[in-house]
Amino acid sequence: MAENTIMEEGSHLESSSEEEQLLIIIRHGDRWDYSHPEWRATATRPGDTPLSALGHKQARETGRFLDELFRKKAVCDRKEDLEILCSPFLRCIQTANEIVSQFVPETNIRIKPECSVWEIGGHDGKLHIDLPTFEELECYFPLIDSDHVSLFVPDLPESQEEFVERCDEAVEALNEQYPYKPKSAIVVVSHPAGCVALARAASQQTLAEVNPAGPCAIYCLTRSSQTSTWIMDHPSSQDGLNGHVSHLTDMGPYTVPCPTAPAWDKRFQELVYFKELNGHTNVSTKSGPLGSWVNAQRIMLRQLEQGKDSAVAMERREKLESIGFTVRCPPGPPWDERFQDLVEFKELNGHTNVTTNSGPLGRW
């Protein structure tokens, strides 16, 4: 493992006096089909999902965050100091376009559609068949640089192992194509698995040291010389830019981070311990990272039940079921019990206007 490639303290949110170059890897925003799964049945290009309204909002918030970050770190003062590479899938193009729209002053920075960072080529490569040409993209997104030549075009289909190797090759090609240049930045907009794999390859760390990629998650890496190894915030760094999503006002109810295998196993062990202490696996979604993870597992298991693509492998479902984990939470207290709680509430307060943030009774 390379030395000093993970920042143990502080974060990239802090300003720096060094002549840094930034590599910023961003996941696309919330997808339309997350909240409208029926869309695929009638879509002309079902493999090329657009952003939802929430996804557009998340991308604009990301753009404002990056604009502030660039100012704080005094980078990209000139248009030629910023390169934007983007997976040619529509949701990534839309994300990049919204990000650029928030830069102040407004600038006509070109977005380069880059095949080497596109979606993992599983599904027999069928998703990629729906991609429009670069020229077609430019008709609807004037900032698209249709003359851009990708670092390379991956072979399809590809296995997970081949995908990881492809991301390693993409980072190597990126380092060669875009050598060290102080006070500059390279922005790459990709997909959840791609963001994690690219950040791992650039920092030369393990997957366990890369946080999962939520919607519009930001991975900011830096270097101060011509080196192939970039420095990335420690995964536990407070306000670190290792899968950062705190700049978003709404993560959405459907988007789930792409889990890495080590992170998944770690959360599973936490769930096992939770059950030993509490006798069940019904972790509240407000119970920090474990609650969010449990909610993500239920969402993905429901997708399996519906025959949809899911990141949960069969062996993971078996592991979850082996400890009594269910897709849906068991019913809470009986209706009559909650009604009695409401009666007692009225006796104390003189009304039945329980706010929704008043715990179980408010939600009932």
Side-chain angles (χ1 to χ4, degrees):
M1 182 183 298
E3 296 182 355
N4 300 322
T5 59
I6 288 285
M7 294 181 63
E8 295 293 341
E9 298 181 356
S11 82
H12 283 122
L13 283 173
E14 300 171 359
S15 59
S16 173
S17 59
E18 294 185 83
E19 296 292 295
E20 290 182 332
Q21 181 183 34
L22 308 185
L23 171 61
I24 299 175
I25 303 170
I26 303 172
R27 176 186 169 172
H28 60 74
D30 185 79
R31 290 166 40 164
W32 175 264
D33 60 336
Y34 284 161
S35 55
H36 299 86
E38 72 284 354
W39 172 83
R40 287 180 176 271
T42 57
T44 304
R45 292 175 169 172
D48 196 18
T49 312
L51 291 181
S52 65
L54 173 60
H56 282 276
K57 175 185 176 184
Q58 291 168 341
R60 290 192 293 273
E61 290 175 336
T62 302
R64 290 192 289 272
F65 180 87
L66 286 189
D67 187 62
E68 181 179 352
L69 179 67
F70 291 161
R71 293 171 184 276
K72 183 178 295 185
K73 299 179 87 60
V75 300
C76 303
D77 290 333
R78 301 176 303 166
K79 176 181 176 181
E80 55 267 28
D81 290 335
L82 177 60
E83 298 285 350
I84 300 181
L85 306 179
C86 182
S87 162
F89 278 80
L90 178 58
R91 53 191 177 274
C92 291
I93 297 294
Q94 290 175 318
T95 298
N97 197 64
E98 292 282 22
I99 287 174
V100 172
S101 74
Q102 300 303 301
F103 291 165
V104 179
E106 186 176 351
T107 177
N108 293 322
I109 298 172
R110 303 303 296 274
I111 298 170
K112 299 179 178 180
E114 177 56 50
C115 295
S116 68
V117 299
W118 67 17
E119 181 71 287
I120 183 172
H123 311 278
D124 295 325
K126 294 179 180 178
L127 298 180
H128 299 66
I129 296 175
D130 291 333
L131 291 178
T133 64
F134 291 177
E135 291 76 15
E136 185 177 356
L137 283 172
E138 190 175 20
C139 291
Y140 297 96
F141 301 94
L143 294 182
I144 288 291
D145 181 1
S146 61
D147 294 327
H148 172 68
V149 178
S150 290
L151 298 174
F152 62 87
V153 179
D155 294 328
L156 298 173
E158 63 185 349
S159 65
Q160 288 189 357
E161 292 75 15
E162 291 169 333
F163 167 73
V164 172
E165 292 176 0
R166 185 246 289 182
C167 290
D168 289 343
E169 294 173 7
V171 170
E172 290 177 8
L174 185 145
N175 283 330
E176 182 177 349
Q177 181 70 26
Y178 303 99
Y180 168 70
K181 182 181 180 182
K183 300 298 182 180
S184 68
I186 306 166
V187 175
V188 178
V189 181
S190 186
H191 305 264
C195 289
V196 170
L198 291 168
R200 181 206 61 80
S203 64
Q204 296 185 18
Q205 297 297 316
T206 65
L207 283 175
E209 291 166 308
V210 183
N211 285 325
C216 282
I218 297 173
Y219 300 83
C220 180
L221 301 91
T222 62
R223 64 180 178 183
S224 300
S225 63
Q226 183 56 47
T227 174
S228 61
T229 304
W230 298 73
I231 298 174
M232 180 172 64
D233 285 330
H234 191 274
S236 62
S237 175
Q238 184 175 7
D239 293 327
L241 298 184
N242 181 338
H244 180 85
V245 292
S246 297
H247 60 290
L248 302 178
T249 57
D250 188 355
M251 285 278 287
Y254 300 103
T255 300
V256 294
C258 178
T260 59
W264 193 95
D265 291 335
K266 178 181 177 181
R267 291 289 182 231
F268 178 75
Q269 290 304 318
E270 291 179 9
L271 182 61
V272 171
Y273 182 64
F274 178 92
K275 184 180 181 182
E276 291 175 353
L277 291 177
N278 300 280
H280 61 81
T281 60
N282 304 323
V283 186
S284 168
T285 56
K286 298 181 179 179
S287 300
L290 181 60
S292 300
W293 180 85
V294 164
N295 186 53
Q297 304 317 299
R298 288 203 167 95
I299 291 173
M300 290 188 285
L301 284 175
R302 283 197 291 271
Q303 290 175 339
L304 269 183
E305 284 186 345
Q306 298 167 4
K308 299 175 184 175
D309 297 331
S310 172
V312 176
M314 293 300 295
E315 58 268 23
R316 288 186 178 178
R317 180 169 68 179
E318 292 174 359
K319 289 183 71 173
L320 289 167
E321 292 177 345
S322 71
I323 61 171
F325 186 86
T326 57
V327 174
R328 293 168 182 79
C329 293
W335 190 91
D336 289 339
E337 183 176 337
R338 283 287 179 249
F339 178 76
Q340 186 58 41
D341 291 341
L342 183 60
V343 170
E344 294 175 1
F345 179 91
K346 183 178 182 181
E347 290 176 352
L348 290 172
N349 301 278
H351 62 81
T352 58
N353 300 323
V354 186
T355 61
T356 56
N357 60 359
S358 299
L361 181 59
R363 291 192 292 272
W364 179 82

Coordinates of all heavy atoms in Angstrom, one line a residue, residues 59-136:
A59 N -27.6 17.9 -8.1 CA -26.5 18.3 -9.0 C -26.2 19.8 -8.9 O -25.0 20.2 -8.8 CB -26.8 17.9 -10.4
R60 N -27.2 20.6 -8.8 CA -27.0 22.0 -8.6 C -26.4 22.3 -7.3 O -25.5 23.2 -7.2 CB -28.4 22.8 -8.8 CG -28.9 22.8 -10.2 CD -30.0 23.8 -10.4 NE -31.2 23.4 -9.6 CZ -32.2 22.6 -10.1 NH1 -32.1 22.0 -11.3 NH2 -33.2 22.3 -9.3
E61 N -26.8 21.7 -6.3 CA -26.2 21.9 -4.9 C -24.8 21.4 -5.0 O -23.9 22.1 -4.3 CB -27.0 21.1 -3.9 CG -28.4 21.6 -3.6 CD -29.2 20.8 -2.6 OE1 -28.9 19.5 -2.5 OE2 -30.1 21.3 -2.0
T62 N -24.4 20.4 -5.7 CA -23.1 20.0 -5.8 C -22.2 21.0 -6.6 O -21.1 21.3 -6.2 CB -23.0 18.6 -6.6 OG1 -23.8 17.6 -5.9 CG2 -21.6 18.1 -6.7
G63 N -22.8 21.6 -7.6 CA -22.1 22.6 -8.3 C -21.8 23.8 -7.5 O -20.7 24.4 -7.5
R64 N -22.7 24.3 -6.6 CA -22.5 25.4 -5.7 C -21.4 25.0 -4.7 O -20.6 25.9 -4.4 CB -23.8 25.8 -5.0 CG -24.8 26.5 -6.0 CD -25.9 27.1 -5.2 NE -26.8 26.1 -4.6 CZ -27.9 25.6 -5.2 NH1 -28.1 25.9 -6.5 NH2 -28.7 24.8 -4.6
F65 N -21.4 23.8 -4.2 CA -20.4 23.3 -3.3 C -19.0 23.3 -3.9 O -18.1 23.8 -3.3 CB -20.8 21.9 -2.8 CG -19.8 21.4 -1.8 CD1 -19.9 21.6 -0.5 CD2 -18.7 20.6 -2.2 CE1 -19.0 21.1 0.5 CE2 -17.8 20.1 -1.3 CZ -17.9 20.4 0.0
L66 N -18.9 22.9 -5.2 CA -17.6 22.8 -5.8 C -17.1 24.3 -6.1 O -15.9 24.5 -6.0 CB -17.7 22.1 -7.2 CG -17.8 20.5 -7.1 CD1 -17.7 19.9 -8.5 CD2 -16.8 20.0 -6.2
D67 N -18.0 25.1 -6.5 CA -17.6 26.5 -6.8 C -17.0 27.1 -5.5 O -16.0 27.8 -5.6 CB -18.9 27.3 -7.2 CG -18.5 28.7 -7.7 OD1 -17.8 28.8 -8.7 OD2 -18.9 29.7 -7.1
E68 N -17.6 26.9 -4.4 CA -17.1 27.4 -3.1 C -15.8 26.7 -2.8 O -14.8 27.4 -2.3 CB -18.1 27.2 -2.0 CG -17.6 27.7 -0.7 CD -18.7 27.5 0.4 OE1 -19.8 27.1 0.1 OE2 -18.3 27.8 1.6
L69 N -15.7 25.4 -3.0 CA -14.4 24.7 -2.8 C -13.3 25.2 -3.6 O -12.2 25.4 -3.1 CB -14.6 23.2 -3.0 CG -13.4 22.3 -2.8 CD1 -13.1 22.3 -1.3 CD2 -13.7 20.9 -3.3
F70 N -13.5 25.5 -4.9 CA -12.5 26.0 -5.8 C -12.0 27.4 -5.3 O -10.8 27.7 -5.3 CB -13.0 26.1 -7.2 CG -13.3 24.8 -7.9 CD1 -14.1 24.7 -9.0 CD2 -12.7 23.6 -7.4 CE1 -14.3 23.5 -9.6 CE2 -12.9 22.4 -8.0 CZ -13.7 22.4 -9.1
R71 N -12.9 28.2 -4.8 CA -12.6 29.5 -4.3 C -11.7 29.4 -3.0 O -10.7 30.1 -2.9 CB -13.8 30.4 -4.0 CG -14.6 30.7 -5.3 CD -15.9 31.4 -4.9 NE -16.7 31.7 -6.1 CZ -16.6 32.7 -6.9 NH1 -15.7 33.7 -6.6 NH2 -17.3 32.9 -7.9
K72 N -12.2 28.5 -2.2 CA -11.5 28.4 -0.9 C -10.0 27.9 -1.1 O -9.1 28.3 -0.4 CB -12.2 27.4 0.0 CG -11.6 27.2 1.4 CD -12.5 26.3 2.2 CE -13.8 26.9 2.5 NZ -14.6 26.0 3.5
K73 N -9.9 27.0 -2.1 CA -8.5 26.4 -2.3 C -7.8 27.1 -3.4 O -6.7 26.8 -3.8 CB -8.7 24.9 -2.7 CG -9.3 24.1 -1.6 CD -9.5 22.6 -1.9 CE -8.2 21.8 -1.7 NZ -7.8 21.8 -0.3
A74 N -8.4 28.2 -3.9 CA -7.8 29.1 -4.9 C -7.3 28.3 -6.1 O -6.1 28.4 -6.6 CB -6.6 29.8 -4.3
V75 N -8.2 27.4 -6.6 CA -7.8 26.7 -7.9 C -8.8 27.0 -9.0 O -9.9 27.6 -8.7 CB -7.9 25.1 -7.6 CG1 -6.9 24.7 -6.5 CG2 -9.3 24.7 -7.2
C76 N -8.4 26.7 -10.2 CA -9.3 26.9 -11.4 C -9.7 28.4 -11.6 O -10.9 28.7 -11.9 CB -10.6 26.0 -11.3 SG -10.2 24.3 -11.1
D77 N -8.7 29.3 -11.3 CA -9.0 30.7 -11.6 C -9.2 30.9 -13.1 O -9.9 31.9 -13.5 CB -7.9 31.5 -11.1 CG -7.8 31.6 -9.6 OD1 -8.9 31.4 -9.0 OD2 -6.8 31.8 -9.0
R78 N -8.6 30.0 -13.9 CA -8.7 30.2 -15.4 C -9.5 29.0 -15.9 O -9.5 27.9 -15.4 CB -7.4 30.2 -16.0 CG -6.5 31.4 -15.5 CD -5.1 31.3 -16.1 NE -4.5 30.0 -15.9 CZ -3.4 29.5 -16.5 NH1 -2.8 30.3 -17.5 NH2 -2.9 28.3 -16.2
K79 N -10.3 29.2 -17.0 CA -11.1 28.2 -17.6 C -10.2 27.0 -18.0 O -10.7 25.8 -17.8 CB -11.8 28.8 -18.8 CG -12.6 27.8 -19.6 CD -13.2 28.5 -20.8 CE -14.0 27.6 -21.7 NZ -14.5 28.2 -22.9
E80 N -9.0 27.2 -18.5 CA -8.2 26.1 -18.9 C -7.6 25.3 -17.8 O -6.9 24.3 -18.0 CB -7.0 26.7 -19.8 CG -6.2 27.7 -19.2 CD -6.7 29.2 -19.5 OE1 -7.9 29.3 -19.7 OE2 -5.8 30.1 -19.5
D81 N -7.9 25.7 -16.5 CA -7.4 25.0 -15.4 C -8.3 23.9 -14.9 O -8.1 23.2 -13.9 CB -7.0 25.9 -14.2 CG -5.8 26.8 -14.5 OD1 -5.0 26.3 -15.3 OD2 -5.7 27.9 -14.0
L82 N -9.5 23.8 -15.6 CA -10.5 22.8 -15.2 C -10.9 21.9 -16.3 O -11.2 22.3 -17.4 CB -11.8 23.6 -14.7 CG -13.0 22.7 -14.3 CD1 -12.6 21.8 -13.2 CD2 -14.2 23.6 -14.0
E83 N -10.8 20.6 -16.1 CA -11.2 19.6 -17.0 C -12.4 18.8 -16.4 O -12.4 18.4 -15.3 CB -10.1 18.6 -17.3 CG -8.8 19.2 -18.0 CD -9.0 19.5 -19.4 OE1 -10.1 19.1 -20.0 OE2 -8.1 20.2 -20.0
I84 N -13.4 18.6 -17.3 CA -14.6 17.9 -16.8 C -14.8 16.7 -17.7 O -15.1 16.8 -18.9 CB -15.9 18.7 -16.8 CG1 -15.7 19.9 -15.8 CG2 -17.1 17.9 -16.3 CD1 -16.9 20.8 -15.7
L85 N -14.6 15.5 -17.2 CA -14.8 14.2 -17.9 C -16.1 13.6 -17.3 O -16.3 13.6 -16.1 CB -13.6 13.3 -17.7 CG -12.3 13.9 -18.1 CD1 -11.2 12.8 -17.8 CD2 -12.2 14.3 -19.5
C86 N -16.9 13.0 -18.2 CA -18.2 12.6 -17.8 C -18.6 11.3 -18.5 O -18.5 11.2 -19.7 CB -19.2 13.7 -18.0 SG -20.9 13.3 -17.5
S87 N -19.1 10.3 -17.8 CA -19.7 9.1 -18.4 C -20.8 9.6 -19.4 O -21.5 10.5 -19.1 CB -20.3 8.2 -17.3 OG -21.2 7.3 -17.9
P88 N -20.8 9.0 -20.6 CA -21.8 9.4 -21.6 C -23.3 9.1 -21.3 O -24.2 9.4 -22.1 CB -21.3 8.8 -22.9 CG -20.6 7.6 -22.4 CD -19.9 7.9 -21.1
F89 N -23.5 8.4 -20.2 CA -24.9 8.1 -19.8 C -25.6 9.4 -19.5 O -25.0 10.3 -18.8 CB -25.0 7.1 -18.6 CG -24.8 5.7 -19.0 CD1 -23.5 5.1 -19.3 CD2 -25.9 4.8 -19.2 CE1 -23.3 3.8 -19.6 CE2 -25.7 3.5 -19.5 CZ -24.4 3.0 -19.8
L90 N -26.9 9.5 -19.8 CA -27.7 10.7 -19.7 C -27.6 11.3 -18.3 O -27.5 12.5 -18.1 CB -29.1 10.5 -20.2 CG -30.1 11.7 -20.1 CD1 -29.5 12.9 -20.8 CD2 -31.4 11.3 -20.6
R91 N -27.8 10.4 -17.3 CA -27.9 10.9 -15.9 C -26.6 11.6 -15.5 O -26.6 12.5 -14.7 CB -28.2 9.7 -14.9 CG -27.4 8.5 -15.0 CD -28.0 7.4 -14.2 NE -27.2 6.1 -14.3 CZ -27.4 5.2 -15.3 NH1 -28.3 5.5 -16.3 NH2 -26.7 4.1 -15.3
C92 N -25.5 11.1 -16.0 CA -24.2 11.7 -15.7 C -24.0 13.0 -16.5 O -23.5 14.0 -15.9 CB -23.0 10.8 -16.0 SG -23.0 9.3 -15.0
I93 N -24.4 13.0 -17.7 CA -24.3 14.3 -18.5 C -25.2 15.4 -17.9 O -24.8 16.5 -17.7 CB -24.8 14.0 -20.0 CG1 -23.9 13.0 -20.7 CG2 -24.9 15.3 -20.7 CD1 -22.5 13.5 -20.9
Q94 N -26.4 15.0 -17.5 CA -27.3 16.0 -16.8 C -26.7 16.5 -15.5 O -26.8 17.7 -15.2 CB -28.7 15.3 -16.5 CG -29.5 15.1 -17.8 CD -30.8 14.3 -17.5 OE1 -30.8 13.4 -16.7 NE2 -31.9 14.8 -18.1
T95 N -26.1 15.6 -14.7 CA -25.4 16.0 -13.5 C -24.3 17.0 -13.8 O -24.2 18.0 -13.1 CB -24.9 14.7 -12.8 OG1 -25.9 13.8 -12.4 CG2 -24.1 15.1 -11.5
A96 N -23.4 16.7 -14.7 CA -22.3 17.5 -15.0 C -22.8 18.9 -15.5 O -22.3 20.0 -15.2 CB -21.4 16.9 -16.1
N97 N -23.8 18.9 -16.4 CA -24.4 20.1 -16.9 C -24.9 21.0 -15.8 O -24.7 22.2 -15.8 CB -25.5 19.8 -17.9 CG -25.8 20.9 -18.8 OD1 -25.0 21.4 -19.6 ND2 -27.1 21.4 -18.7
E98 N -25.6 20.4 -14.8 CA -26.2 21.2 -13.7 C -25.0 21.7 -12.8 O -25.1 22.9 -12.4 CB -27.1 20.3 -12.9 CG -28.4 20.0 -13.6 CD -29.4 21.1 -13.6 OE1 -29.0 22.3 -13.5 OE2 -30.6 20.8 -13.8
I99 N -24.0 20.9 -12.6 CA -22.9 21.4 -11.8 C -22.2 22.6 -12.4 O -22.0 23.6 -11.8 CB -21.8 20.2 -11.7 CG1 -22.3 19.1 -10.8 CG2 -20.5 20.8 -11.2 CD1 -21.5 17.9 -10.7
V100 N -21.9 22.6 -13.7 CA -21.3 23.7 -14.4 C -22.2 24.9 -14.4 O -21.7 26.1 -14.3 CB -21.0 23.3 -15.9 CG1 -20.5 24.5 -16.7 CG2 -19.9 22.2 -15.9
S101 N -23.5 24.8 -14.4 CA -24.4 25.9 -14.4 C -24.3 26.7 -13.2 O -24.8 27.9 -13.1 CB -25.9 25.4 -14.6 OG -26.4 24.8 -13.4
Q102 N -23.7 26.2 -12.1 CA -23.7 26.9 -10.8 C -22.4 27.6 -10.6 O -22.2 28.2 -9.6 CB -23.9 25.9 -9.7 CG -25.3 25.2 -9.7 CD -26.4 26.2 -9.8 OE1 -26.6 27.0 -8.8 NE2 -27.3 26.1 -10.8
F103 N -21.4 27.4 -11.5 CA -20.1 28.1 -11.3 C -20.3 29.6 -11.6 O -21.0 30.1 -12.5 CB -19.1 27.6 -12.3 CG -18.7 26.1 -12.0 CD1 -18.0 25.4 -13.0 CD2 -19.0 25.5 -10.8 CE1 -17.6 24.1 -12.7 CE2 -18.6 24.2 -10.5 CZ -17.9 23.5 -11.5
V104 N -19.6 30.4 -10.7 CA -19.7 31.9 -10.8 C -18.3 32.4 -10.9 O -17.4 32.1 -10.1 CB -20.4 32.4 -9.5 CG1 -20.4 34.0 -9.6 CG2 -21.8 31.9 -9.3
P105 N -18.0 33.3 -11.9 CA -18.9 33.7 -13.0 C -19.2 32.5 -13.9 O -18.4 31.6 -14.0 CB -18.2 34.8 -13.7 CG -16.7 34.4 -13.5 CD -16.6 33.8 -12.1
E106 N -20.4 32.6 -14.6 CA -20.8 31.6 -15.5 C -19.7 31.4 -16.6 O -19.2 32.4 -17.2 CB -22.1 31.9 -16.1 CG -22.7 30.8 -17.0 CD -24.1 31.1 -17.5 OE1 -24.7 32.2 -17.0 OE2 -24.6 30.4 -18.4
T107 N -19.4 30.2 -16.9 CA -18.4 29.9 -17.9 C -18.8 28.8 -18.8 O -19.5 27.9 -18.4 CB -17.0 29.6 -17.2 OG1 -16.1 29.3 -18.2 CG2 -17.2 28.4 -16.3
N108 N -18.3 28.8 -20.0 CA -18.6 27.8 -21.0 C -17.6 26.7 -21.0 O -17.0 26.4 -22.0 CB -18.8 28.4 -22.4 CG -19.9 29.4 -22.5 OD1 -21.0 29.1 -21.9 ND2 -19.8 30.4 -23.3
I109 N -17.4 26.1 -19.9 CA -16.5 24.9 -19.8 C -17.1 23.8 -20.5 O -18.2 23.4 -20.3 CB -16.2 24.6 -18.3 CG1 -15.6 25.8 -17.6 CG2 -15.4 23.4 -18.1 CD1 -15.5 25.6 -16.1
R110 N -16.3 23.1 -21.4 CA -16.8 22.0 -22.1 C -16.8 20.7 -21.3 O -15.9 20.5 -20.5 CB -16.0 21.8 -23.4 CG -15.9 23.0 -24.3 CD -17.2 23.5 -24.8 NE -18.0 22.6 -25.5 CZ -17.8 22.4 -26.9 NH1 -17.0 23.2 -27.5 NH2 -18.6 21.6 -27.5
I111 N -17.8 19.9 -21.5 CA -18.0 18.6 -20.8 C -17.5 17.6 -21.8 O -18.1 17.4 -22.9 CB -19.4 18.4 -20.4 CG1 -19.8 19.5 -19.3 CG2 -19.6 17.0 -19.7 CD1 -21.3 19.5 -19.0
K112 N -16.6 16.8 -21.4 CA -16.0 15.8 -22.3 C -16.6 14.4 -22.0 O -16.3 13.8 -20.9 CB -14.5 15.7 -22.1 CG -13.8 17.0 -22.5 CD -12.3 17.0 -22.3 CE -11.7 18.3 -22.8 NZ -10.2 18.3 -22.6
P113 N -17.4 13.8 -22.9 CA -18.0 12.5 -22.6 C -16.9 11.4 -22.7 O -16.2 11.3 -23.7 CB -19.0 12.3 -23.8 CG -18.6 13.3 -24.8 CD -17.9 14.4 -24.1
E114 N -16.7 10.7 -21.6 CA -15.5 9.8 -21.4 C -16.0 8.4 -21.2 O -16.6 8.1 -20.1 CB -14.7 10.3 -20.3 CG -13.5 9.4 -20.0 CD -12.6 9.2 -21.1 OE1 -12.2 10.3 -21.8 OE2 -12.2 8.1 -21.4
C115 N -15.8 7.5 -22.2 CA -16.2 6.1 -22.1 C -15.5 5.3 -21.1 O -16.1 4.3 -20.5 CB -16.1 5.4 -23.5 SG -17.1 6.2 -24.7
S116 N -14.3 5.6 -20.7 CA -13.5 4.8 -19.8 C -14.1 4.8 -18.4 O -13.7 4.0 -17.6 CB -12.0 5.3 -19.8 OG -11.9 6.6 -19.2
V117 N -15.0 5.8 -18.1 CA -15.6 5.9 -16.7 C -17.1 5.6 -16.8 O -17.8 6.0 -15.8 CB -15.3 7.2 -16.1 CG1 -13.8 7.5 -15.9 CG2 -15.9 8.4 -16.9
W118 N -17.5 5.0 -17.9 CA -19.0 4.7 -17.9 C -19.4 3.6 -17.0 O -18.6 3.0 -16.3 CB -19.4 4.6 -19.4 CG -18.9 3.3 -20.1 CD1 -18.4 2.2 -19.6 CD2 -19.0 3.1 -21.5 NE1 -18.1 1.3 -20.5 CE2 -18.4 1.8 -21.8 CE3 -19.4 3.8 -22.6 CZ2 -18.3 1.2 -23.0 CZ3 -19.3 3.3 -23.9 CH2 -18.7 2.0 -24.1
E119 N -20.7 3.3 -17.0 CA -21.3 2.3 -16.2 C -20.6 0.9 -16.4 O -20.1 0.6 -17.4 CB -22.8 2.2 -16.5 CG -23.6 1.2 -15.6 CD -23.7 1.6 -14.2 OE1 -22.7 1.6 -13.5 OE2 -24.8 2.0 -13.8
I120 N -20.6 0.1 -15.3 CA -20.1 -1.2 -15.3 C -20.8 -2.0 -16.5 O -22.0 -1.9 -16.6 CB -20.2 -1.9 -14.0 CG1 -19.6 -3.3 -14.1 CG2 -21.7 -2.0 -13.5 CD1 -19.5 -4.0 -12.7
G121 N -20.0 -2.7 -17.3 CA -20.6 -3.3 -18.4 C -21.2 -4.7 -18.2 O -20.9 -5.7 -19.0
G122 N -22.0 -4.9 -17.2 CA -22.7 -6.1 -16.9 C -23.9 -6.2 -17.8 O -24.0 -5.5 -18.8
H123 N -24.9 -7.0 -17.4 CA -26.1 -7.1 -18.2 C -25.9 -7.4 -19.7 O -26.6 -7.0 -20.6 CB -27.0 -5.8 -18.1 CG -27.1 -5.3 -16.7 ND1 -28.1 -5.8 -15.8 CD2 -26.4 -4.4 -16.0 CE1 -28.0 -5.2 -14.7 NE2 -27.0 -4.3 -14.7
D124 N -24.8 -8.1 -19.9 CA -24.4 -8.4 -21.3 C -24.1 -7.2 -22.2 O -24.2 -7.2 -23.4 CB -25.4 -9.3 -22.0 CG -25.6 -10.7 -21.3 OD1 -24.5 -11.2 -20.9 OD2 -26.7 -11.2 -21.2
G125 N -23.8 -6.1 -21.5 CA -23.6 -4.9 -22.2 C -24.8 -4.2 -22.8 O -24.7 -3.3 -23.6
K126 N -26.0 -4.7 -22.4 CA -27.2 -4.2 -23.1 C -27.5 -2.7 -22.7 O -28.2 -2.0 -23.5 CB -28.4 -5.1 -22.7 CG -28.3 -6.5 -23.2 CD -29.5 -7.3 -22.8 CE -29.4 -8.8 -23.3 NZ -30.5 -9.6 -22.9
L127 N -27.1 -2.3 -21.5 CA -27.4 -0.9 -21.1 C -26.7 0.1 -22.0 O -27.3 1.1 -22.4 CB -26.9 -0.7 -19.6 CG -27.6 -1.5 -18.5 CD1 -27.0 -1.1 -17.2 CD2 -29.1 -1.3 -18.5
H128 N -25.5 -0.3 -22.5 CA -24.8 0.7 -23.3 C -25.3 0.8 -24.7 O -24.9 1.7 -25.4 CB -23.3 0.2 -23.3 CG -22.7 0.2 -21.9 ND1 -23.1 -0.7 -20.9 CD2 -21.7 0.9 -21.3 CE1 -22.4 -0.5 -19.8 NE2 -21.5 0.5 -20.0
I129 N -26.1 -0.2 -25.1 CA -26.7 -0.1 -26.5 C -27.5 1.1 -26.6 O -27.7 1.7 -27.7 CB -27.5 -1.4 -26.8 CG1 -26.5 -2.6 -26.8 CG2 -28.2 -1.3 -28.1 CD1 -27.3 -3.9 -27.0
D130 N -28.1 1.6 -25.5 CA -29.1 2.7 -25.5 C -28.4 4.1 -25.6 O -29.1 5.1 -25.6 CB -30.0 2.6 -24.3 CG -31.0 1.4 -24.4 OD1 -31.3 1.0 -25.6 OD2 -31.4 0.9 -23.4
L131 N -27.1 4.1 -25.5 CA -26.4 5.4 -25.4 C -26.5 6.1 -26.7 O -26.3 5.6 -27.8 CB -24.9 5.2 -25.1 CG -24.6 4.7 -23.6 CD1 -23.1 4.5 -23.5 CD2 -25.2 5.7 -22.6
P132 N -26.8 7.4 -26.7 CA -26.8 8.2 -27.9 C -25.4 8.5 -28.4 O -24.4 8.4 -27.6 CB -27.5 9.5 -27.5 CG -27.2 9.6 -26.0 CD -27.2 8.2 -25.5
T133 N -25.2 9.0 -29.6 CA -23.9 9.4 -30.0 C -23.5 10.7 -29.3 O -24.3 11.5 -28.8 CB -23.8 9.6 -31.5 OG1 -24.7 10.7 -31.9 CG2 -24.3 8.4 -32.3
F134 N -22.2 11.0 -29.3 CA -21.8 12.3 -28.7 C -22.4 13.5 -29.5 O -22.7 14.5 -28.9 CB -20.2 12.4 -28.8 CG -19.5 11.4 -27.9 CD1 -18.1 11.4 -27.9 CD2 -20.2 10.6 -27.0 CE1 -17.5 10.5 -27.0 CE2 -19.6 9.7 -26.2 CZ -18.2 9.6 -26.2
E135 N -22.5 13.4 -30.8 CA -23.1 14.4 -31.6 C -24.5 14.7 -31.2 O -25.0 15.8 -31.2 CB -23.0 14.1 -33.1 CG -21.6 14.1 -33.7 CD -20.8 12.9 -33.3 OE1 -21.4 11.9 -32.8 OE2 -19.5 12.9 -33.5
E136 N -25.3 13.6 -30.9 CA -26.6 13.7 -30.5 C -26.7 14.4 -29.1 O -27.6 15.2 -28.9 CB -27.3 12.3 -30.4 CG -28.8 12.4 -30.1 CD -29.4 11.0 -30.1 OE1 -28.8 10.0 -30.5 OE2 -30.6 10.9 -29.8

